[in-house]
Amino acid sequence: MRQTFAVSMARRGMEKKAGFDLEIDDDPRQQQREWVMQRIGWAVLTGLLIAVTFGLFGRGGPLSEVKLPSQRGEFLLEYDRFLRYHSPDMMRVSFTAGAQHTRLKIDSEYASHVQFERITPAPEREINEDGAVTYVFNTQPGAGTVVTFHFSPQKYWRLKGWLAVEDTPALHFSQFVYP
C-alpha cells in the first residue's frame, strides 16, 4: 500500500522532498523587515533603560542630580534637573550662617509654580518682597546650616528660578518638569 501511495504521488508531480513537508509560505523580504523592526525595538528599549538609569526621566542619577555652588562659594544648592508634575521632590541649600538670623531668598516666579509642602528647619518668618519670597531662619553664627525645601511642581515643562542667601548674588537654576 505504501508503494502505491508513493507511485500515485509521483504521477501527480508531488514528490516528497526530504526533510520538509510543511506547506508554509516563505517571504524573505517580510522576514528581513521584521528582523530590522525587532532590532530597532531592542535598540529603543535599551536606550530608554540607559536614560532611566542615568536619571533622564526623574529622580536620581548623574544626569539629574545637580550640585551648584554660588559664585563666591557662600552656599551650595542641590536639586534635581528633571522632575515629574505633581510629584514630591526636594531642594537643599547648604551655607555657613553669618548671623543669628539668616535670610534665604527664592524667586517669586519660581515659588508660584511649585507648592512648598514643608521646609526643614521651619523658617521663623516668610516675607514677600521685591520679586522674591524671603525666608528668615534662626541660625547659629559660624555654624553650617542645611535648609531642605520639600515641594511639588505645579507647572509643566521648564521652571526657571534663582536663589540667594543674605546679600549674595543670585544663583540661577532651571528644571524640566515632565507631565
Side-chain angles (χ1 to χ4, degrees):
M1 172 123 173
R2 188 151 174 72
Q3 201 172 30
T4 313
F5 178 72
V7 170
S8 68
M9 293 284 287
R11 284 187 195 147
R12 290 187 206 155
M14 302 173 74
E15 296 174 3
K16 191 173 182 182
K17 294 181 182 176
F20 297 104
D21 60 346
L22 297 176
E23 294 182 20
I24 297 176
D25 291 335
D26 189 21
D27 187 355
R29 287 176 33 163
Q30 177 64 26
Q31 189 173 18
Q32 183 68 27
R33 278 184 248 137
E34 288 176 11
W35 284 345
V36 168
M37 292 303 293
Q38 184 182 30
R39 282 173 180 73
I40 290 171
W42 279 109
V44 168
L45 288 175
T46 302
L48 284 173
L49 182 61
I50 290 169
V52 166
T53 302
F54 283 106
L56 187 61
F57 296 113
R59 233 180 251 145
L63 293 177
S64 184
E65 295 174 349
V66 178
K67 292 184 178 184
L68 190 61
S70 62
Q71 292 174 352
R72 292 181 256 164
E74 301 95 341
F75 64 94
L76 175 70
L77 173 63
E78 298 175 67
Y79 65 97
D80 283 331
R81 185 175 286 134
F82 303 105
L83 309 172
R84 293 245 174 234
Y85 181 69
H86 280 256
S87 181
D89 214 304
M90 70 175 127
M91 177 169 49
R92 284 192 179 93
V93 182
S94 306
F95 57 91
T96 301
Q100 189 167 354
H101 296 284
T102 303
R103 298 165 66 92
L104 195 144
K105 299 177 184 179
I106 295 181
D107 180 21
S108 61
E109 179 75 20
Y110 177 83
S112 70
H113 294 300
V114 297
Q115 179 181 348
F116 289 112
E117 291 157 2
R118 75 178 187 275
I119 302 171
T120 309
E124 183 182 291
R125 287 188 311 253
E126 180 180 328
I127 306 164
N128 290 319
E129 61 185 6
D130 302 326
V133 179
T134 303
Y135 296 98
V136 180
F137 295 93
N138 280 331
T139 54
Q140 297 289 338
T145 305
V146 177
V147 176
T148 306
F149 294 90
H150 298 269
F151 66 94
S152 295
Q154 304 297 307
K155 175 188 168 196
Y156 294 125
W157 311 124
R158 192 158 224 54
L159 282 178
K160 291 183 179 183
W162 57 266
L163 186 130
V165 176
E166 291 296 334
D167 294 324
T168 62
L171 183 62
H172 294 268
F173 62 94
S174 97
Q175 297 171 305
F176 187 82
V177 181
Y178 290 106

